[in-house]
Amino acid sequence: MFSLGLHGLSLVALVSSRSRNLQACTGIENIDEAITLLEQNNWDLLAAINGVIPQENGILQSEFSGETIQNPIFGPPTQLNTSVSIASPSSSSTSAFRPVVSSRQVVERLSRMLDFKVEYRDKTADVVLEDSCTAGDIKQILETELQVPASKMQLKGWKSGDVEDSTVLRSLHLPKNNSLYVLTPEIPIPSMSSQSGSQQESLNQNYMLIITHREVQKEYNLQFSGSCTIQEVKRNVYDLTSIPVRHQLWEGWPASAQNDTMTLASSGLNFPCHRLTVARRTSPVQTREQSEECTDIHMISDSDGDDFEDATEFGVDDGEIFGMASSSALRKSPMMPENADNEADALLQFTAEFSSRYGECHPVFFIGSLEASFQEAFYGKARERKLLAIYLHHDESVLTNVFCSQMLCAESIVSYLSQNFITWAWDMTREANRARFLTFCTRHFGSVVTQTVRSQKTDQFPLFLIIMGKRSSNEVLNVIQGNTSVDELMMRLISAMEIFSAQQQEDIKDEDEREARENVKREQDEAYRLSLEADRAKREAQEREMAEQYRLEQIKKEQEEEREAIRLSLEQSLPPEPEEEESEPLSKLRIRTPSGQFIERRFLISSPLQVVFNFVASKGFPCQEFKLLSTFPRRDITQLDPSRSLMDLKLFPQETLFLEAKE
């Protein structure tokens, strides 16, 4: 139970006065927005004014002494330095919430630059101009940008309603960043068929939503397909910011985004990037207290106190905690099929689904078994080896979408991984696939790493395991959880690379020394082999020479034996040499051999010339090799008819012949 006394009511009045003073100075109409600005600036009115209307060189100075608020609601005493007059708590007149003249004059003299993001059908134009310009000046700029006549434009989206072309922007008290849209009723809309084709194309495109969480001033870069609904985006943002969907206060959605069931493609978002801002709606109790006029003094009842206590938990929706399906349940297909036996097919589906969710800019996932990724990363030459990065995905983790879209798909991370890592992925969402990976883990990394992965809770996923191959085993250098930033992820990857590079240099040195030794051994083996081949060739040449010599000798021997056999045959076939006392006339032939020796024999003059040839051949001079010549007249006897007698040839009573070898 909580109650407020007079001091608390004075505090409420003072807070209300601060917000009204801020509204009077800046032109902010929404009191909730004014209170939010004061809270962000620690209830410093000057800082809040400067945040909306930036000053130059601190022109707007404090002209009044500060006042102190001390209350448990706002924490320790806070000094409020203001440049506006402070109304008393009992006053309800709006004239009290008016800045001093000198401050207003300073504000009016300041020249501000205003940014306008203007949407027209499927086009977007950025317009920047001073607040001294008019709304018509915006149309003149858009006429060039959009190719639409200014006279046919209707500029919509002003917070104060329709604005004339002659209205000076400064009089509208606009913030620095503004969103407008153009209507052209007189210009017909393109045909439905072309719109349908464009819409279908948009459904297949990926949109980058740059979402700023206003309270913590943090940006999230999220990628969604055009087929996703606005509701899905808000549920994903709930995972990141813990702001339930029904308490999210958005800025930046196009005017055409009428309800949360619309797809991003049909909502009129800028492609490929669109900026949005999200904040938590102000608690109803807090809004009621800040908007109360301090005319009645009453005590807050027990029930009001309970409401106040419940307000500390405002924004927690039981239905969203217990009954709301997570963003992963809205996805159409799982990252990986359950009971994935074929790892290559499972990783093909993983890569395709990852690309459809987060775009084409992502690490190149190795398609194959975990053993094959080891072979690719660790077992090549030392200079070609890489680290192995194992990405473990989990659809039910609130960190998954942020990690994938902002870190894993960041260009710097993608480039660094592709140059230095082999990246292998696995989906741990399904229990069967989780058990299968734990089996892999036990087999290749041991029970300690397996227990580390098994002990990780769902909200700690996704995980990044950095593995380095060593001579005897594979070492896990780092286990990176999903609750990290791009810079931290990059630093841990670089740190792992430094360890790996040191080990790689040692491996390269050992490999070079081993190759040098092997080269020397190969050279020695080659020289020895060449020597053996030379010796073998020499032996073979000698053997061939001896074999050839033996063959020739055998041929010669055979020829000699054949000649000898022929000689003996001819010698035996010769008729006996006639005696000198023979009654028949004789012819005595004297034959000179090539060596200068003479052989003599007597023949009957009736004997045929063949008998002489046989005789000469029996002495080793066959007619095939030698010519038998006469001197006077010189003639070649071997050319004569061997059947003619010696008498016919006039080779009697005696004749000297000589043998000459044929060429």
Side-chain angles (χ1 to χ4, degrees):
M1 181 177 297
F2 181 79
S3 61
L4 292 175
L6 292 176
H7 175 74
L9 293 174
S10 300
L11 177 63
V12 171
L14 188 57
V15 170
S16 178
S17 69
R18 293 294 184 273
S19 61
R20 291 183 181 277
N21 284 333
L22 180 60
Q23 287 182 282
C25 290
T26 61
I28 296 176
E29 296 182 355
N30 192 328
I31 190 171
D32 293 341
E33 185 177 350
I35 292 173
T36 301
L37 287 172
L38 287 170
E39 288 178 344
Q40 292 176 355
N41 292 277
N42 200 20
W43 296 95
D44 187 336
L45 183 57
L46 177 60
I49 294 173
N50 289 334
V52 178
I53 309 177
Q55 309 301 322
E56 296 182 359
N57 301 322
I59 295 175
L60 193 59
Q61 300 294 333
S62 175
E63 300 179 3
F64 293 90
S65 60
E67 298 183 23
T68 301
I69 296 177
Q70 183 173 1
N71 191 280
I73 298 177
F74 302 103
T78 303
Q79 187 73 15
L80 299 179
N81 296 324
T82 68
S83 58
V84 296
S85 60
I86 307 300
S88 64
S90 60
S91 174
S92 60
S93 173
T94 56
S95 62
F97 305 103
R98 185 175 301 166
V100 296
V101 176
S102 59
S103 298
R104 177 176 293 278
Q105 292 173 348
V106 171
V107 172
E108 291 178 350
R109 286 197 301 268
L110 293 176
S111 178
R112 298 175 59 217
M113 299 301 294
L114 302 179
D115 295 340
F116 294 89
K117 182 178 291 294
V118 184
E119 300 178 5
Y120 174 65
R121 294 180 181 173
D122 58 344
K123 298 179 181 179
T124 302
D126 292 324
V127 179
V128 180
L129 71 172
E130 295 181 355
D131 61 358
S132 59
C133 298
T134 64
D137 295 333
I138 300 179
K139 287 187 177 182
Q140 295 298 325
I141 297 174
L142 293 176
E143 183 174 13
T144 303
E145 293 286 336
L146 303 178
Q147 300 299 316
V148 175
S151 59
K152 296 184 179 182
M153 291 185 190
Q154 294 181 10
L155 202 56
K156 302 293 183 178
W158 304 101
K159 294 183 178 180
S160 57
D162 292 341
V163 174
E164 299 293 335
D165 291 352
S166 59
T167 303
V168 178
L169 300 179
R170 181 179 297 165
S171 65
L172 300 177
H173 304 291
L174 298 173
K176 179 175 177 55
N177 296 310
N178 303 270
S179 296
L180 303 175
Y181 60 95
V182 174
L183 297 180
T184 53
E186 300 179 12
I187 299 177
I189 300 175
S191 63
M192 292 301 296
S193 59
S194 61
Q195 282 188 346
S196 176
S198 176
Q199 182 71 6
Q200 185 61 36
E201 182 181 356
S202 298
L203 288 173
N204 299 327
Q205 292 174 335
N206 287 327
Y207 289 78
M208 171 68 76
L209 300 185
I210 305 174
I211 301 175
T212 302
H213 186 184
R214 191 167 63 188
E215 281 85 358
V216 299
Q217 292 299 309
K218 185 174 182 180
E219 276 192 358
Y220 301 98
N221 297 327
L222 306 180
Q223 283 190 348
F224 296 92
S225 66
S227 60
C228 289
T229 65
I230 297 175
Q231 182 71 14
E232 292 180 51
V233 174
K234 292 184 176 181
R235 291 183 184 277
N236 275 272
V237 171
Y238 166 60
D239 293 339
L240 300 177
T241 62
S242 299
I243 303 176
V245 174
R246 69 187 182 89
H247 299 309
Q248 292 173 5
L249 182 62
W250 287 90
E251 293 180 5
W253 287 108
S256 56
Q258 299 295 331
N259 57 70
D260 289 355
T261 61
M262 296 181 64
T263 63
L264 299 185
S266 61
S267 64
L269 291 177
N270 299 327
F271 180 81
C273 294
H274 190 92
R275 288 187 172 273
L276 298 169
T277 302
V278 65
R280 182 185 292 272
R281 291 184 187 276
T282 309
S283 165
V285 174
Q286 183 180 358
T287 303
R288 184 170 64 250
E289 290 178 349
Q290 292 173 347
S291 60
E292 281 183 346
E293 295 294 336
C294 299
T295 57
D296 297 325
I297 301 176
H298 63 277
M299 299 298 292
I300 299 178
S301 64
D302 292 345
S303 60
D304 293 333
D306 293 338
D307 289 342
F308 189 89
E309 291 175 354
D310 292 340
T312 62
E313 296 179 357
F314 177 78
V316 179
D317 189 346
D318 293 342
E320 287 174 314
I321 293 177
F322 300 105
M324 184 186 70
S326 65
S327 60
S328 62
L330 299 173
R331 298 184 178 118
K332 296 181 180 179
S333 59
M335 295 294 291
M336 187 175 288
E338 193 169 6
N339 296 317
D341 294 331
N342 189 324
E343 297 170 39
D345 292 343
L347 286 168
L348 281 174
Q349 177 174 328
F350 185 95
T351 302
E353 181 65 20
F354 195 95
S355 299
S356 69
R357 294 187 189 181
Y358 306 110
E360 296 298 331
C361 181
H362 61 75
V364 179
F365 297 116
F366 181 84
I367 305 301
S369 65
L370 185 58
E371 290 81 358
S373 67
F374 290 162
Q375 189 72 29
E376 181 74 14
F378 304 148
Y379 299 136
K381 290 186 173 296
R383 286 180 173 82
E384 300 173 357
R385 293 173 193 165
K386 294 184 177 183
L387 284 171
L388 176 64
I390 298 179
Y391 170 64
L392 300 181
H393 186 90
H394 204 302
D395 270 337
E396 296 178 3
S397 173
V398 297
L399 300 173
T400 295
N401 192 50
V402 176
F403 185 85
C404 292
S405 60
Q406 294 194 30
M407 280 156 274
L408 201 55
C409 293
E411 291 186 5
S412 58
I413 299 296
V414 171
S415 175
Y416 195 76
L417 286 174
S418 64
Q419 293 176 9
N420 304 290
F421 291 77
I422 297 295
T423 306
W424 190 83
W426 195 256
D427 184 17
M428 304 287 281
T429 308
R430 306 294 181 87
E431 187 60 35
N433 292 339
R434 177 187 178 91
R436 184 175 177 82
F437 178 78
L438 292 176
T439 302
F440 294 157
C441 202
T442 304
R443 183 190 311 160
H444 297 293
F445 310 129
S447 59
V448 176
V449 178
T450 304
Q451 183 59 33
T452 300
V453 175
R454 181 182 285 113
S455 63
Q456 300 296 316
K457 298 179 180 178
T458 299
D459 290 343
Q460 293 174 313
F461 281 87
L463 296 181
F464 228 44
L465 307 183
I466 308 301
I467 315 297
M468 181 175 70
K470 303 190 74 173
R471 296 181 181 87
S472 57
S473 62
N474 300 321
E475 179 181 351
V476 179
L477 294 182
N478 212 332
V479 178
I480 304 174
Q481 294 180 344
N483 55 344
T484 184
S485 62
V486 174
D487 293 339
E488 183 181 357
L489 177 59
M490 179 62 77
M491 289 302 297
R492 298 180 76 169
L493 293 178
I494 292 174
S495 176
M497 270 304 300
E498 291 175 351
I499 298 174
F500 171 72
S501 297
Q503 180 63 47
Q504 187 181 35
Q505 292 303 317
E506 294 182 7
D507 293 343
I508 291 174
K509 181 180 178 181
D510 294 343
E511 188 175 77
D512 290 344
E513 292 176 353
R514 182 170 61 255
E515 288 184 354
R517 292 193 300 269
E518 291 176 353
N519 287 336
V520 172
K521 186 176 182 301
R522 279 196 296 270
E523 291 174 358
Q524 293 174 346
D525 293 343
E526 182 67 14
Y528 180 67
R529 185 185 64 80
L530 293 175
S531 176
L532 291 178
E533 288 184 355
D535 293 343
R536 183 169 59 253
K538 186 176 181 180
R539 284 197 308 272
E540 290 175 353
Q542 290 176 350
E543 291 174 356
R544 286 194 300 270
E545 184 179 354
M546 292 176 63
E548 182 66 16
Q549 183 178 359
Y550 176 76
R551 187 182 67 83
L552 295 176
E553 288 177 354
Q554 288 296 112
I555 292 174
K556 184 177 180 182
K557 183 179 179 181
E558 290 175 359
Q559 291 175 348
E560 289 177 353
E561 290 177 352
E562 183 180 1
R563 291 176 63 183
E564 182 64 18
I566 294 173
R567 190 189 68 78
L568 291 175
S569 175
L570 293 174
E571 189 178 21
Q572 292 176 0
S573 65
L574 285 175
E577 184 180 6
E579 298 293 337
E580 291 183 1
E581 295 83 8
E582 186 70 35
S583 59
E584 186 179 349
L586 301 175
S587 175
K588 186 175 182 181
L589 298 178
R590 190 166 183 254
I591 302 170
R592 184 175 182 275
T593 65
S595 62
Q597 297 178 350
F598 288 92
I599 54 176
E600 298 179 356
R601 193 180 190 282
R602 295 183 296 277
F603 299 91
L604 295 174
I605 60 174
S606 60
S607 298
L609 183 57
Q610 185 64 49
V611 176
V612 178
F613 291 160
N614 292 343
F615 170 72
V616 174
S618 67
K619 296 301 181 180
F621 304 100
C623 294
Q624 293 84 359
E625 300 177 10
F626 294 90
K627 296 185 293 184
L628 187 60
L629 304 174
S630 63
T631 53
F632 299 104
R634 182 178 177 81
R635 57 181 178 171
D636 185 358
I637 302 301
T638 53
Q639 299 296 324
L640 302 176
D641 186 2
S643 61
R644 296 177 66 182
S645 64
L646 296 181
M647 182 178 66
D648 293 340
L649 296 175
K650 298 180 181 182
L651 294 176
F652 72 93
Q654 63 181 13
E655 188 70 31
T656 300
L657 304 174
F658 62 93
L659 291 168
E660 183 178 299
K662 291 182 178 181
E663 295 181 357

